[in-house]
Structures are given as structure tokens and as C-alpha cells.
């Protein structure tokens, strides 16, 4: 049997060369340990980030002592396993060097049998400064490599961008939403394993062919034997037990066991079915005793990226169990600048929020980390597909053999670690590098290649191709062939010529669209530029006031204050929010009102984009906005802030990602009516529309029986705006549309005939009453139109809806779910004190019927 122990206690650390040791946490990092020992100020507060840049230029040491249990000490084989060392480290046991590490993304192991004692073992981990380690590599190369988001100037390095040399989370060096904290430390658990006879290194359930009738599977078991061994191999799962006699020689072996499961329960993403999971257990038995055992959990499904020629280009969509899936979701970044601060509850909150928001996909972006197992396990459970980038983003990388060998081992380890997760839908080589360099078209890209001679250009591109067109796809094919590989996001197609790079006119591949925001184009441009799969686009907002107050004093609550600018990593970000706000909204009355209005602005922007993308189904088959989450409290593109608080856009995504939605698209004086369905069944229902004035009087009604076809867009018709308004003033009415079937409202949508800034708002009187017999539910009513009603609860949690429009005479029932540290992510609960506000209460000029 295998015996294990964690080394999580009695750690201490110090700056190399110093005498004083301080208490340390493992897993952890230098920054969090310094903070815990009150040697530095809160890294996230004010501009403290800039005062902490000395940390990454020092070497640090971590040390512990430990005893071995009798069972461990008696084992023939004894191994120490570091699941994550960040990043350059030498490890010593009892004065003997046992390993050197140079990759944050790899697991590091060493045989310690020759050096271990039963008692008082001394383990020392010596971390070398990543800055001092990598500056000589830049000098040796002779020229810099592009790394647009490396905040080297904040780190006191000027233009010396060194992030590309380290196999370390790129965002640690700064990004346009994150700070620069170049960490060092033992960032994942440390274990000692002892075993004799047989050690199971890996169990892979390869899915050869899966249908509703039969799953053809192969269990691939990697083992190590310390002697010649004979015994029985047993595989067990729900409804099946197989046994096989095995005989192996000393050394490493892979044993394959082919088997079938009849009528398997398939794994489905959210919205299409249940995310069914199977647990497989493998055992090596001898003389009636279990010598070694390993369990893995997986779901049975087929998933592929479908790229087929059509009349306009090539499709780009995911097919799950034979069903085309419209991907709805967001891009995910690491949940913290300091990774060991991320708890299970924080992971669960994010994934549960994605599912609650009707998402079915998250993209793990290439500038962060290969996420913790917990992340993928939760995606498996909640039915969230994962687009997984390799960890390369917005930079060009070296191509020396040592770097390539390191990348290969990193890729092999992580592909093998994640391949049993049914949620894994795609491996993608990198983020934005193909389009940024744009090798085959001189006048496009980010201006990188123009800074180099032709000879160096060709060298940089050859290194790029070696990693992303040869090395990584081979790793995926060799170790996880049932999941497809895509070289770069965005990219049109791997052609090796000018047709390869993605542009805003591409009719194949995926697209990142940033002319709205970075290009300052109006929101309406989202409707004009729609690709086959929209894997990135976004719009910023601030976090809410109570989050801003965690990093800023009252005196700093001003758009251009030093702290507010520091917690905005996108150059013109704050000004862009204001410029867009001036276009679409009335002037907010103060800074807290500005924060609220930024939420509404962001939500309206993303709603416009999502609806444009879904309206173009099946030409467009995916929409993943940037971004789901934050790594620190900041103004950014996130839909949940650092503390997991839902912004307006998260509630908007929940509405816009419903499986069936109404689309009301006004083009000049015509209103186009559409129903988008992602369901696999047709729906018979009625589309009901009512025009209200702002006091709730019905001015016009419309009712049409319709059949909504499954998994497609149903064109309902067109209406003339003048026929709807009937001489009523366009800025004093709202059109409400509802899709009803079998007595249920599937979707409801409000439409205004003028820009929000031109709506004639009055300050409403909103009443909240407790729902009968439901402590967690309440009913809202209003005397005049209440635009973008914002509910804020005393407790942390989410509402069933928020930032919604409330029409007089149409009460709205809302429930509250508190964040839970127990078995569920959200628990229906009384919210405590509630505050309610609407847009009219936040603008400078508005009439007040209520006095």
C-alpha cells in the first residue's frame, strides 16, 4: 500500500542572508507571509503595490523539520512531491541537494530514501529571485521580446521585460487589470509518499467511442514496480467490475484494459442535460490484499470542435454528444494575485455563479495558471465546459532547447492531469499571439514585428511555430486525443499564409473584438461585427462603493485621484468609462452615483454584444465576454468583483444567457422580433407585447401565437415603430415583451425607443413587502417607471434578479440567496436589511413626482 503525509506544519521563512526566521504558511508565498507577519502593508490598499517591488529582487528560504511515521519509514521507496514551487528553487534534505526547480506549472519529485531519517529531518527550500535569475537571459539573448502587459516600469526595471523567460504565471508581472506581484514560494502542497511493490502513477479513462447506447473505453494504468510482480488487476465502476491477471517486471509499465458500458449516463453541459459522473477505481491485489489503489472521476461524452466549410467560410462550434452547442460564458482569470488565498468556497462561488447565470463555458485564459483540480471538478459537477489555454499570452517567447524541453514537460504533465475531466472541451495554444505578431501581413498586428530585423523576425516566428504548431499539438494528440487543439485565440485558420490571422472581417475561426472599448467605437458596433465564435470582447466598470472603500480613503473617491487611477490598470480606462457614459446617460450626481452608472453602462454594453451574437446563430456559435472575475479589488472588465459581488452585468448575463430569449432589435423605424432557443425541443407559445406609459397605463397591446424551433433563431416578424407608438412621445413609454408557454413566462424584455439619457425619468416610490410564508422572498412595486432598480442586502449573496426595470402595476417577486460556506454555494435566506435605488436617484437632473 501507499503511505503519505503532508508537510504543512512548522514552516518558517527568511530573506536569504538574514538571521531572523518568521512563521510561514505552506502552501503560501513570500508576499502573504510578510503580510501575515506584519512586515509589509496590505498589498491591495492604496498604492502599496509600488512599495513592495523590492520583494521579487531578493532570495528567500523556507525551512521545516519533520519526523516520519513508522509505516512510511519502513517502505522500500520514499519520495517527496512538491505539487508547485514558484519558481526557481533548490531543495535540500538534511544538507543534501535533492532537486532544482525552474517551472511553476510542474510537479517536482525526488527520491529521499538515501537521505531521510526517522526523526528530525530538516527540509530547506531556497528560492532564487526571478528577477535576478532572468535578467541575464535577456542580456544573453541580445534583444528584447514583446511582452505588452509586463509592467517592468512598476518593478523598477524600465523597459527590461523578463516575464517571457520564466515558466511562471504571466499576470504576476502585471496586466491591464492586475497589479505586479512577482511571487516566490511553495504554492501547492508538499507530500511524502512511501510504497512497496506497486505504485500507481496515473489512471486515464480514454473514451474511444461514446453514444447513448454504448461507451467503448480503455483504462490506461501507469505503474511503477520495484520488483517482479504477479497479481490481480481489478477495475470497478457503477454496474461493472472487471478483473485481469497481470505479471510485470521491475520498472515502469502501462497496462491497458478495454471495456464497454451499456446505456451510459452521458455528461451534458448546463442547459442540455445532467452532468452525470462515474467514479472508476483501479486496484492491484495479491493474496486477497489490496497492494495499490487509485480512483478517478470522469463523465462520458464526446466533444469536438467542428470546423467545416460552408457558403461563407468555416464553422467554429462545439458539438457535445452529437448536439451543436451555442457556447455562452466568460473568460476566467486567476481569482487572486496570491494564489494560495483562493479557497474552495471562492472557487465554488465562481462556478456556481456561472451556472446560475446560465453559462455553459468558461475560458481559462493563457496569462494565468493551469487551475487547481478543484476548479475543474466543480466545472464537471455544474456542467460548465472549459476552453483551456496553455499558459502563454500577449508575448513572444524564446525557443532555446532548454525552454522547449521545459514547456514540453509542463504541457505533458498538465494535459495528463486534466484529461479525465469531461468539462475539458478544447486545448488552445496561446492568447492573442498569432494576431499580435501577424507574421504574414505587414500592416496588421500590434506593431511588434516592425521593431526587428528580418533575420530576427524569422527567428522569433520559427520559435513560435515550434511551440504552438508542433510541440503542443503533439502533446495533446499523444496524451488526450479526444479533445481538439487550436493554436491561438483568435485565429482564422492554420494556413501558413495571410489567411491565417484573425481580423474583424474573418468568416472562420474565433474572434476577439475590441473596437468597442479600446477603439472607443459606440456600443452599436457590436451589432455590426460578429464572428463565428466571439471568444473575447468586453467593457469596464468600477466595483461597487463598499468594495472601493476597501482600497481607498474618502478623500480618494474621485475619478482622477491617484489611488483611483492606480486601481485602473488600463491606461485611459477611467476616462473611457466617462466618455461612454456621457454618450448614453445623464450625468451622475456624485462619485457613488458614477460607480452605479458604470455598472449599468457595462451591463448595457455586454447585453448589446450577447444579443448580437445570439441573433446570428448558427453563423456565430459562441460568446465569451471578458471577464468573469478579478484578482484584486479594481476597476476592470469583470462581472463579479474581487469579493465575488455580482455587478449589474452578471445579472444581465443571467438574463441574456437564458436558454430561450426574446430579441427586440430596432433598426431605424422598424422593430425586428426574434426568439433564440438553445433547447433541444420545439416550444409552442405566445409572444405578448404591451406599451406602457411611465405611470403604468397600457397604451397598445400585441399578441401572436408562435412556434419556437429547437436550437435555432425563429424570426417572428417586423413592426413599424409608428404603429406601436401611435403618437405617444417616444421618451415617455416602454414596450414590454413576454414569451409565454403553458402558463409560464420563459423570457421578458423591456425596449425603449430612445437612448437612456433621453428617457424622461421621474424619481419613483418603490415599496418592498415581505412575501407570504417566505422569509427569503419579497415583492416590489412602484408608482412610476423605476429604471435599473438596484437592490443591496445586508448579507453577502445574490438576488434572483437585480438592476431590472419595474413598471407600475407589474409587481416583481424577488428571492435572496446568501453565500454559503457549507454544502451549497447559495442558500435561500432572509437578506437582512435591504436598500433599493434606481437610476433616477443617481442623476443630477430629474423631476420628482413624490416631492
Amino acid at each position: 500500500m501507499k503511505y503519505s503525509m503532508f508537510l504543512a506544519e512548522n514552516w518558517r521563512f527568511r530573506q536569504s542572508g538574514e538571521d531572523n526566521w518568521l512563521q510561514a504558511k505552506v502552501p503560501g508565498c513570500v508576499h502573504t507571509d510578510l503580510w501575515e507577519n506584519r512586515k509589509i502593508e496590505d498589498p491591495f490598499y492604496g498604492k502599496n503595490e509600488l512599495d513592495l517591488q523590492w520583494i521579487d529582487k531578493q532570495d528567500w528560504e523556507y525551512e521545516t523539520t519533520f519526523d516520519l511515521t513508522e509505516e512510511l519509514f519502513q517502505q522500500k521507496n520514499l519520495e517527496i512531491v512538491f505539487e508547485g514551487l514558484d519558481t526557481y528553487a533548490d531543495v535540500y534534505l538534511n544538507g543534501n541537494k535533492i532537486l532544482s526547480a525552474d517551472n511553476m506549472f510542474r510537479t517536482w519529485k525526488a527520491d529521499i530514501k538515501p537521505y531521510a531519517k526517522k526523526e528530525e529531518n530538516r527540509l530547506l527550500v531556497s528560492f532564487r529571485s526571478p528577477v535576478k535569475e532572468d535578467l541575464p537571459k535577456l542580456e544573453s539573448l541580445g534583444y528584447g521580446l514583446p511582452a505588452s502587459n509586463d509592467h517592468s516600469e512598476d518593478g523598477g526595471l524600465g523597459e527590461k521585460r523578463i516575464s517571457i523567460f520564466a515558466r511562471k504565471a504571466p499576470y504576476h508581472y502585471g496586466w491591464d487589470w492586475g497589479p505586479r506581484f512577482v511571487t516566490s514560494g511553495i504554492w501547492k502542497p508538499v507530500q511524502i509518499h512511501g510504497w512497496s511493490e506497486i505504485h500507481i502513477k496515473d489512471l486515464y479513462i480514454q473514451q474511444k467511442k461514446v453514444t447513448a447506447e454504448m461507451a467503448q473505453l480503455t483504462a490506461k494504468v501507469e505503474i511503477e514496480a520495484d520488483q517482479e510482480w504477479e497479481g490481480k488487476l481489478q477495475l470497478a465502476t457503477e454496474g461493472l467490475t472487471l478483473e485481469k491477471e497481470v505479471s510485470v517486471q521491475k520498472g515502469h509499465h502501462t497496462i491497458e484494459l478495454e471495456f464497454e458500458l451499456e446505456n451510459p449516463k452521458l455528461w451534458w453541459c448546463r442547459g442540455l442535460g445532467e452532468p452525470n459522473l462515474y467514479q472508476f477505481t483501479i486496484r492491484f491485489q495479491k493474496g486477497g490484499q489490496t497492494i495499490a489503489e487509485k480512483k478517478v472521476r470522469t463523465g462520458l461524452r464526446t466533444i469536438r470542435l467542428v470546423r467545416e466549410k460552408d457558403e461563407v467560410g468555416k464553422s467554429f462550434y462545439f458539438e457535445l454528444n452529437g448536439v451543436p452547442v451555442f457556447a455562452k460564458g466568460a473568460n476566467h482569470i486567476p481569482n487572486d494575485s496570491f494564489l494560495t488565498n483562493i479557497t474552495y468556497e471562492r472557487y465554488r462561488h465562481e462556478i456556481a455563479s456561472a451556472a446560475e447565470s446560465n453559462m455553459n463555458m468558461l475560458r481559462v485564459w493563457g496569462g494565468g495558471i493551469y487551475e487547481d483540480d478543484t476548479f475543474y471538478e466543480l466545472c464537471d459537477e455544474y456542467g460548465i465546459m472549459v476552453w483551456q489555454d496553455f499558459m502563454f499570452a500577449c508575448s513572444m517567447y524564446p525557443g532555446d532547447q532548454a525552454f522547449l524541453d521545459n514547456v514540453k514537460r509542463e504541457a505533458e504533465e498538465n494535459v495528463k492531469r486534466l484529461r479525465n475531466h469531461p468539462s475539458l472541451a478544447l486545448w488552445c495554444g496561446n492568447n492573442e499571439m498569432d494576431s499580435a505578431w501577424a507574421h504574414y501581413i505587414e500592416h496588421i498586428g500590434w506593431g511588434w514585428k516592425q521593431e526587428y530585423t528580418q533575420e530576427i523576425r524569422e527567428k522569433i516566428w520559427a520559435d513560435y511555430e515550434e511551440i504552438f504548431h508542433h510541440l503542443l499539438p503533439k502533446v495533446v494528440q499523444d496524451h488526450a486525443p479526444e479533445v481538439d487543439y487550436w493554436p491561438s485565440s483568435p485565429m482564422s485558420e492554420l494556413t501558413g499564409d495571410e489567411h491565417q490571422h484573425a481580423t474583424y472581417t474573418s468568416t472562420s475561426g474565433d474572434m476577439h473584438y475590441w473596437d468597442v472599448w479600446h477603439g472607443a467605437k459606440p456600443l452599436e458596433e457590436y451589432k455590426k461585427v460578429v464572428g463565428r465564435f466571439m471568444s473575447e470582447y468586453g467593457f469596464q466598470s468600477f466595483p461597487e462603493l463598499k468594495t472601493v472603500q476597501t482600497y481607498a480613503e474618502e478623500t480618494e473617491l474621485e475619478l482622477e485621484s491617484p489611488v483611483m487611477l492606480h486601481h485602473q490598470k488600463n491606461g485611459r480606462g477611467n476616462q473611457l468609462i466617462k466618455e461612454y457614459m456621457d454618450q448614453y446617460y445623464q450625468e451622475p450626481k456624485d462619485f457613488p452615483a458614477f460607480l452605479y452608472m458604470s455598472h449599468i453602462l457595462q451591463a448595457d454594453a455586454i447585453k448589446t454584444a450577447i444579443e448580437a451574437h445570439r441573433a446570428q446563430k448558427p453563423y456565430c456559435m459562441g460568446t465569451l465576454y471578458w471577464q468573469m472575475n478579478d484578482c484584486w479589488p479594481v476597476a476592470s472588465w469583470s462581472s463579479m468583483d474581487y469579493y465575488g459581488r455580482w455587478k449589474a452585468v452578471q445579472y444581465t448575463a443571467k438574463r441574456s444567457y437564458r436558454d430561450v430569449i426574446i430579441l427586440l432589435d430596432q433598426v431605424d423605424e422598424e422593430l425586428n422580433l426574434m426568439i433564440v432557443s438553445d433547447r433541444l425541443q420545439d416550444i409552442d407559445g405566445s409572444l405578448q407585447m404591451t406599451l406602457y406609459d411611465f405611470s403604468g397605463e397600457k397604451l397598445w397591446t400585441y399578441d401572436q401565437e408562435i412556434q419556437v424551433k429547437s436550437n435555432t433563431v425563429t424570426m417572428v416578424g417586423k413592426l413599424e415603430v409608428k404603429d406601436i407608438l401611435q403618437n405617444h412621445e417616444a421618451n415617455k413609454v416602454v414596450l414590454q415583451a413576454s414569451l409565454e408557454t403553458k402558463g409560464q413566462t420563459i423570457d421578458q424584455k423591456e425596449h425603449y425607443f430612445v437612448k437612456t439619457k433621453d428617457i424622461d425619468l421621474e424619481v419613483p416610490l418603490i415599496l418592498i413587502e415581505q412575501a407570504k410564508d417566505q422569509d427569503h422572498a419579497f415583492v416590489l412595486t412602484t408608482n412610476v417607471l423605476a429604471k435599473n432598480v438596484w437592490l443591496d442586502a445586508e448579507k453577502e449573496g445574490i438576488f434572483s434578479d437585480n438592476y431590472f426595470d419595474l413598471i407600475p402595476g407589474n409587481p416583481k417577486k424577488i428571492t435572496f440567496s446568501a453565500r454559503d460556506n457549507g454544502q451549497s454555494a447559495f442558500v435561500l435566506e432572509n437578506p437582512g436589511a435591504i436598500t433599493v435605488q434606481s437610476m433616477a436617484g443617481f442623476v443630477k437632473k430629474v423631476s420628482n413626482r413624490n416631492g
Side-chain angles (χ1 to χ4, degrees), residues 542-709:
F542 279 78
E544 61 183 85
L545 181 60
K546 59 187 172 187
T547 295
V548 172
Q549 289 171 332
T550 66
Y551 62 80
E553 298 286 344
E554 288 293 322
T555 56
E556 294 286 348
L557 299 183
E558 193 274 318
L559 191 61
E560 297 293 313
S561 74
V563 169
M564 221 54 61
L565 291 174
H566 187 75
H567 283 252
Q568 166 59 273
K569 294 298 186 178
N570 177 225
R572 288 188 63 241
N574 289 1
Q575 277 304 121
L576 270 175
I577 294 174
K578 186 178 187 305
E579 289 170 16
Y580 274 107
M581 197 178 292
D582 290 344
Q583 286 183 57
Y584 292 96
Y585 303 112
Q586 297 180 39
E587 184 180 356
K589 65 181 182 181
D590 53 23
F591 188 70
F594 184 90
L595 301 181
Y596 161 88
M597 296 288 269
S598 77
H599 291 181
I600 305 304
L601 172 63
Q602 180 192 32
D604 283 349
I606 299 303
K607 173 178 177 285
T608 302
I610 290 173
E611 291 189 354
H613 304 157
R614 295 192 71 183
Q616 291 296 316
K617 178 181 178 175
Y619 175 82
C620 176
M621 284 295 285
T623 177
L624 309 176
Y625 64 79
W626 184 271
Q627 67 212 60
M628 183 74 178
N629 55 327
D630 277 327
C631 69
W632 73 318
V634 66
S636 80
W637 294 273
S638 71
S639 55
M640 299 191 314
D641 72 21
Y642 173 71
Y643 298 102
R645 293 164 181 157
W646 284 27
K647 298 181 183 178
V649 69
Q650 194 71 50
Y651 289 98
T652 294
K654 179 180 178 179
R655 293 189 289 266
S656 297
Y657 281 158
R658 285 173 178 155
D659 294 336
V660 181
I661 62 166
I662 304 166
L663 293 184
L664 305 175
D665 182 30
Q666 185 175 338
V667 180
D668 298 325
E669 295 304 312
E670 280 190 336
L671 187 67
N672 298 311
L673 313 178
M674 291 171 278
I675 308 291
V676 181
S677 174
D678 294 334
R679 291 189 183 176
L680 302 185
Q681 305 83 26
D682 294 349
I683 299 171
D684 291 316
S686 65
L687 179 64
Q688 302 169 8
M689 297 197 294
T690 305
L691 185 72
Y692 294 94
D693 68 16
F694 291 170
S695 65
E697 182 181 348
K698 295 181 180 179
L699 306 175
W700 175 89
T701 61
Y702 174 94
D703 194 338
Q704 180 178 341
E705 297 297 316
I706 59 172
Q707 184 181 63
V708 180
K709 293 293 186 182

Side-chain angles (χ1 to χ4, degrees), residues 214-237:
M214 184 70 69
Q216 297 177 5
L217 310 171
T218 301
K220 294 188 174 183
V221 192
E222 290 184 35
I223 65 166
E224 183 178 357
D226 63 13
Q227 60 192 35
E228 185 178 336
W229 191 89
E230 290 184 359
K232 186 184 298 181
L233 172 64
Q234 183 188 83
L235 173 73
T237 190

